[in-house]
Amino acid sequence: YVVEIDHGNGMRSLYNHLAGTWVGVGAAVARGQAIAPVGCTGLCTGNHVHFEVIVNGISQNPLRYLN
């Protein structure tokens, strides 16, 4: 399962390897809102979330966007 959030202005965040989703297509989400349970899909050795930040189609260092 994957959740992709469009933040506008060319910025998107992706959350992969989820156990399911708690939001649907087109849903508005708020900062800090839980969107999905952590999972272990594909080739993995334990529960985790693969987190990506993409700006104008270019992957960014996600640490710059966490606070």
Side-chain angles (χ1 to χ4, degrees):
Y1 293 96
V2 175
V3 171
E4 178 178 341
I5 298 176
D6 182 347
H7 300 274
N9 297 320
M11 182 176 181
R12 298 180 294 135
S13 57
L14 280 82
Y15 307 82
N16 302 289
H17 298 292
L18 307 171
T21 61
W22 296 333
V23 295
V25 174
V29 296
R31 182 180 192 151
Q33 176 182 341
I35 57 173
V38 173
C40 183
T41 59
L43 298 174
C44 73
T45 57
N47 289 343
H48 69 286
V49 173
H50 176 101
F51 172 61
E52 292 184 54
V53 174
I54 301 168
V55 178
N56 297 322
I58 301 170
S59 293
Q60 305 292 308
N61 179 348
L63 292 177
R64 294 177 36 205
Y65 298 89
L66 299 176
N67 57 21

